[in-house]
């Protein structure tokens, strides 16, 4: 690792490992000497007001990450030290924070919420007593007032002071004109620390610049004509910005596009990055076009939208970082710790947003969506990461440390980690070409990790079959136009003469479609619970009619319109005889079931159910996923590893994909309806996330909590 510092000083942060003395993860130090064994002799800085270094210590070079003096000063003000590493794990945000200018609009954490404000000054915190002291850096931020959405002309006494970790979003100033502002005065009463303003904040506009107009942003943008960026076509999911006639720019993601009833031109429904007064929850003119948090939906003509300038990185701006200047995501501390799945209470704060989830790169969406679905909020396949020593140890360790643990701890996995994992799959095509999830799952579990099959199937002739995923096979005429997953599984297994020998811990069901070229059904209704009871071999089942212990099963009765078509029919001896006395059923051939001898005929039959925890979807060769992140009915997330792309200076070779995770409670609302309501629902009239789930579903993932714990 080559250190690059400001002048003679070289700074670093400890990212992993254990030192011989005082250094630990998150500590900031200054390099004093490089030892022969590649170790660094450094001085340790604390977070106190003095900023003077403590005694020297030794740390391994590979356990550190280099910092400039400016970066070290910003991170030194962040407490606790673990938050410094979390900030570095969001390289785009940290890079933007490092080049903040005066009057840039930021969104900061404040009083358990988020508050927009203008950066006024960069503050030196502490008192420099010795030449080697390193003072901390913070930001004075002047809030946008809620009363009239203007910045108060009166100087706060003092302005709130924030660390780099308090900033969650950066919106660069768009006005022109610079000129450093020198301020040598001192501010009192700020946590009893010496604080001074320094000249690293170029003045991008007047201090009294009014930002009123956010309150009525939708009206202002419609009244001010702007040039349409015709060379930037938009679609649902595009990241855009909208500027009002007062010069205020807001940012968001297009959630809906179309023609409003009273307009002839195309409009866009945008979900903003934070709440704005007079915005809605996706409603316009009394009609719901999409769903988001209250105060975040803005409707404007499509011509008023521009590509999000924060990701375009125009080459004329000298202070803009190139993609190669963005610091890589820091390595996690090497540990054998088994990080649990993200709990429901923490999922939204850790995962939702841009640069969240798994970053896509070079045809990796099939793998990104599969890994996120399997490991973000479920532990059903955690045993994959716990393989014993052997030839497969390297890849299982890489999967655990670089992907699963990083995703669950930090909410983000960089493309480099995924590419390193892809290279270990033993086939060059997994590094460069498009693949399907079932192919990746089979290669990983069977050939690379040599795991036992997830599914054990028994045919009518008592032969056993092993599989890792299950492909639905049936005739289209066997089911309704819009079937449920339960119906598809029941009919497919019964038609093929197959039963599960045991309840699987994880059941991955491949829908009857093949990539983007063919799908048998335009829409499929997800079954949030899959009842596997009647699909188990040698397991007690109840009679379809009287509820006593069943002894026979009739495949021909499956589609009988008088006997609830689509449901498996099994009967006790008495009911089997009575049902098949009907002339239309006399040609049926019921087959005897394997019934456990110790089960009484009138004993209640327990139902065995599996829970839906993720759905992989495909549209135009691109895989995304919907993931249930907790037991709550509305706890659904949407993940896209390539939601957008940043192309600095127009050079696609140096660009990178921007993954995004969105909360989708409307999916839970839709799926919480009864079977009768779902059967009557018109999928084409549902919101965009629900419509995408129903029409693009490719693979459903179910888990059995009891079997996962057992195994």
């Amino acid at each position: 690792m080559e250190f690059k510092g400001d002048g003679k000083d070289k700074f670093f942060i400890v990212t992993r490992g254990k030192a011989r003395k005082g250094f630990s993860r998150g500590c900031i130090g200054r390099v004093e000497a490089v030892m022969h064994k590649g170790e660094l002799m450094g001085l340790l800085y604390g977070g106190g007001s003095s900023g003077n270094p403590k005694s020297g210590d030794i740390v391994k070079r590979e356990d550190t990450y280099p910092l400039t003096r400016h970066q070290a000063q910003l991170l030194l003000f962040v407490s606790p030290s673990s938050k410094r590493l979390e900030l570095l794990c969001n390289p785009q945000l940290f890079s933007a924070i490092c080049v903040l200018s005066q009057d840039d609009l930021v969104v900061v954490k404040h009083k358990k919420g988020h508050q927009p404000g203008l950066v006024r000054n960069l503050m030196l915190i502490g008192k420099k007593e010795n030449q080697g002291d390193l003072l901390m850096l913070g930001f004075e931020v002047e809030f946008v007032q809620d009363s009239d959405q203007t910045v108060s002309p009166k100087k706060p006494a003092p302005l709130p002071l924030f660390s780099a970790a308090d900033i969650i979003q950066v919106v660069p100033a768009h006005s022109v004109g610079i000129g450093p502002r020198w301020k040598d005065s001192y501010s009192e009463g700020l946590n009893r620390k010496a604080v001074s303003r320094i000249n690293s904040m170029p003045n991008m506009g007047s201090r009294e610049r009014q930002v009123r107009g956010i309150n009525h942003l939708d009206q202002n943008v419609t009244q001010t004509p702007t040039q349409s960026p015709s060379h930037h076509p938009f679609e649902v999911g595009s990241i855009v910005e909208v500027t009002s006639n007062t010069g205020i720019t807001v940012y968001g993601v297009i959630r809906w596009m179309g023609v409003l009833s009273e307009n002839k031109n195309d409009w866009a429904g945008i979900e903003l990055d934070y709440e704005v007064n007079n915005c809605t929850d996706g409603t316009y003119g009394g009609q719901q076009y999409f769903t988001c948090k209250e105060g975040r939906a803005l409707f404007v003509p499509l011509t008023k939208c521009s590509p999000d300038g924060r990701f375009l990185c125009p080459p004329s701006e000298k202070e803009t970082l190139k993609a190669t200047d963005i610091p890589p995501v820091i390595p996690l501390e090497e540990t054998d710790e088994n990080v649990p799945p993200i709990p429901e209470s923490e999922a939204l704060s850790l995962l939702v947003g841009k640069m969240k989830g798994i970053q896509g790169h070079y045809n990796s969406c099939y793998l990104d969506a599969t890994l996120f679905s399997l490991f973000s909020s479920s532990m059903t396949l955690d045993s994959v990461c716990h393989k014993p020593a052997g030839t497969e140890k390297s890849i299982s360790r890489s999967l655990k440390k670089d992907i699963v643990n990083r995703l669950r701890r930090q909410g983000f996995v960089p493309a480099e980690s995924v590419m390193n994992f892809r290279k270990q799959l033993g086939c060059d095509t997994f590094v460069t070409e498009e693949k399907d999830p079932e192919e990746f799952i089979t290669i990983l579990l069977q050939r690379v990790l040599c795991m036992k099959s997830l599914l054990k199937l028994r045919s009518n002739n008592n032969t056993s079959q092993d599989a890792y995923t299950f492909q639905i096979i049936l005739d289209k005429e066997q089911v309704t136009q819009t079937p449920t997953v339960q119906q598809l599984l029941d009919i497919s297994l019964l038609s093929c003469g197959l039963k599960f020998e045991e309840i699987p811990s994880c059941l991955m069901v491949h829908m009857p479609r093949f990539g983007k070229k063919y799908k048998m059904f335009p829409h499929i209704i997800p079954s949030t619970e899959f009842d596997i009871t009647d699909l188990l071999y040698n397991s007690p089942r109840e009679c379809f009619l009287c509820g006593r212990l069943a002894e026979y099963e009739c495949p021909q009765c499956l589609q009988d319109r008088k006997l609830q078509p689509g449901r498996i029919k099994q009967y006790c001896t008495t009911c089997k005889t009575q049902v098949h006395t009907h002339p239309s059923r006399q040609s049926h051939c019921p087959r005897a079931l394997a019934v456990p001898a110790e089960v009484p005929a009138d004993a209640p039959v327990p139902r065995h159910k599996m829970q839906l925890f993720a759905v992989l979807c495909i549209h135009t060769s691109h895989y995304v996923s919907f993931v249930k992140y907790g037991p709550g009915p509305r706890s659904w997330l949407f993940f896209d590893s390539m939601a957008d792309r940043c192309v600095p200076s127009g050079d696609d070779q140096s660009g990178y994909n921007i993954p995004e995770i969105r909360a989708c409670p409307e999916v839970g609302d839709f799926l919480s309806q009864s079977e009768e309501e779902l059967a009557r629902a018109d999928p084409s009239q549902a919101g965009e996330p629900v419509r995408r789930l129903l029409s693009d579903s490719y693979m459903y993932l179910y888990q059995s909590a009891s079997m996962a714990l057992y195994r």
Side-chain angles (χ1 to χ4, degrees), residues 69-372:
R69 171 181 285 274
H70 185 71
Q71 291 171 337
Q73 289 178 287
L74 287 172
L75 292 175
L76 195 59
F77 190 40
V78 175
S79 180
S81 58
S82 59
K83 287 190 176 182
R84 300 169 184 167
L85 299 177
E86 293 177 6
L87 181 57
L88 281 179
C89 288
N90 192 337
Q92 281 71 26
L93 176 61
F94 185 55
S95 298
I97 292 173
C98 289
V99 294
L100 274 174
S101 299
Q102 196 170 46
D103 287 339
D104 277 348
L105 182 65
V106 295
V107 181
V108 297
K109 301 175 186 176
H110 183 62
K111 294 182 179 180
K112 298 182 180 181
H114 297 159
Q115 177 72 41
L118 297 179
V119 174
R120 288 312 189 191
N121 294 289
L122 182 63
M123 311 298 291
L124 272 175
I125 304 169
K127 186 176 181 181
K128 191 167 185 177
E129 299 175 346
N130 302 301
Q131 185 175 1
D133 291 351
L134 184 70
L135 301 187
M136 298 178 288
L137 286 179
F139 298 93
E140 273 190 343
V141 176
E142 191 169 0
F143 290 144
V144 172
Q145 302 298 314
D146 291 334
S147 59
D148 57 359
Q149 295 296 333
T150 66
V151 173
S152 172
K154 298 181 180 180
K155 177 182 178 181
L159 289 175
L161 191 62
F162 294 92
S163 72
D166 295 323
I167 300 174
I168 64 171
Q169 185 179 349
V170 174
V171 184
H174 287 268
S175 55
V176 182
I178 60 173
R181 173 181 297 178
W182 290 83
K183 291 194 178 181
D184 297 325
S185 59
Y186 286 82
S187 184
E188 299 177 354
L190 293 177
N191 298 325
R192 298 182 181 178
K193 298 174 182 176
V195 181
S196 62
R197 299 174 176 84
I198 61 176
N199 66 320
S200 57
M201 282 276 147
N203 182 7
M204 303 300 289
S206 170
R207 177 178 177 82
E208 289 75 27
R209 181 176 68 120
Q210 298 294 312
V211 293
R212 66 171 56 95
I214 295 181
N215 207 19
H216 301 283
L217 181 62
D218 51 343
Q219 289 88 351
N220 289 336
V221 293
T222 58
Q223 295 170 4
T224 304
T226 59
Q227 184 177 357
S228 174
S230 57
H231 58 288
H232 287 289
F234 298 116
E235 59 184 13
V236 173
S238 294
I239 304 176
V240 297
E241 63 182 44
V242 178
T243 303
S244 72
N245 59 2
T246 57
I248 298 304
T249 302
V250 292
Y251 300 83
V253 179
I254 294 180
R255 297 296 183 216
W256 172 87
M257 292 173 58
V259 178
L260 296 174
S261 57
E262 69 272 21
N263 295 280
K264 296 183 179 180
N265 299 324
D266 288 334
W267 277 54
I270 303 170
E271 181 179 356
L272 301 177
D273 289 349
Y274 53 86
E275 295 179 11
V276 173
N277 287 352
N278 285 5
C279 287
T280 70
D281 62 350
T283 303
Y284 187 91
Q287 182 173 348
Q288 190 88 35
Y289 290 91
F290 65 96
T291 303
C292 66
K293 291 184 179 180
E294 181 67 36
R296 292 198 179 188
L298 173 67
F299 289 85
V300 296
L302 194 59
T303 55
K304 306 301 185 262
C305 299
S306 301
D308 192 327
R310 297 171 297 175
F311 299 109
L312 292 179
C313 304
S316 59
E317 296 181 22
K318 296 181 180 180
E319 292 184 342
T320 302
L321 291 179
K322 298 179 181 178
T324 54
D325 296 328
I326 296 174
V329 175
I330 61 174
L332 280 172
E333 180 180 6
E334 293 188 8
T335 175
D336 291 329
E337 176 188 2
N338 297 323
V339 180
I342 303 168
E344 183 179 29
S345 59
E346 301 175 11
L348 294 180
S349 60
L350 181 64
L351 291 176
V352 172
K354 303 179 183 68
M355 294 306 292
K356 296 291 187 178
I358 301 176
Q359 186 179 28
H361 177 66
Y362 208 62
N363 297 327
S364 69
C365 61
Y366 71 93
L367 185 144
D368 307 326
T370 303
L371 291 178
F372 184 82

Side-chain angles (χ1 to χ4, degrees), residues 87 241 336 457 460 497 499 573 623 660 663 683 686 700:
L87 181 57
E241 63 182 44
D336 291 329
L457 301 168
N460 288 337
K499 288 287 190 296
T573 302
Y623 287 97
E660 183 183 9
Y700 286 82

Side-chain angles (χ1 to χ4, degrees), residues 408-461:
R408 292 175 176 178
R409 279 180 177 169
Q410 303 171 350
F412 176 71
V413 179
E416 294 83 0
S417 297
V418 180
M419 180 56 74
N420 291 336
F421 175 74
R422 294 169 73 183
K423 292 177 180 178
Q424 299 179 63
L425 291 174
C427 181
D428 292 340
T429 58
F430 276 97
V431 180
T432 58
E433 297 181 6
E434 295 180 356
K435 297 288 184 179
D436 293 322
E438 68 273 16
E439 183 180 1
F440 161 63
I441 292 169
T442 302
I443 290 291
L444 175 65
L445 301 185
Q446 181 180 29
R447 299 186 185 179
V448 178
L449 296 177
C450 302
M451 284 190 62
K452 292 182 180 180
S453 60
L454 298 175
L455 309 179
K456 295 184 179 297
L457 301 168
R458 177 70 66 95
S459 65
N460 288 337
N461 57 8

Side-chain angles (χ1 to χ4, degrees), residues 481-546:
Q481 181 68 17
T482 306
T484 66
V485 177
Q486 178 80 53
Q487 292 171 344
L488 293 176
L489 267 167
D490 288 349
I491 295 174
S492 179
L493 284 162
L494 195 63
S495 301
C496 297
L498 297 173
K499 288 287 190 296
F500 292 105
E501 289 189 1
E502 60 185 18
I503 302 174
S505 61
C506 181
L507 173 60
M508 292 177 271
V509 188
H510 184 192
M511 294 296 102
R513 64 174 299 164
F514 304 96
K516 64 177 181 179
K517 297 181 180 179
Y518 171 79
K519 59 180 179 181
M520 183 175 289
F521 303 100
H523 300 98
I524 296 174
I525 303 295
S527 300
T528 55
E529 277 192 334
F530 167 54
D531 192 334
I532 199 174
T533 309
D534 297 336
L535 298 174
L536 293 173
Y537 175 78
N538 198 26
S539 178
R541 297 159 62 183
E542 65 179 20
C543 176
F544 171 73
L545 295 177
C546 70

Side-chain angles (χ1 to χ4, degrees), residues 626-642:
F626 290 86
V627 174
K628 198 170 191 299
Y629 64 86
R634 307 183 83 229
S635 299
W636 282 91
L637 296 173
F638 172 77
F639 167 63
D640 186 349
S641 65
M642 302 179 182

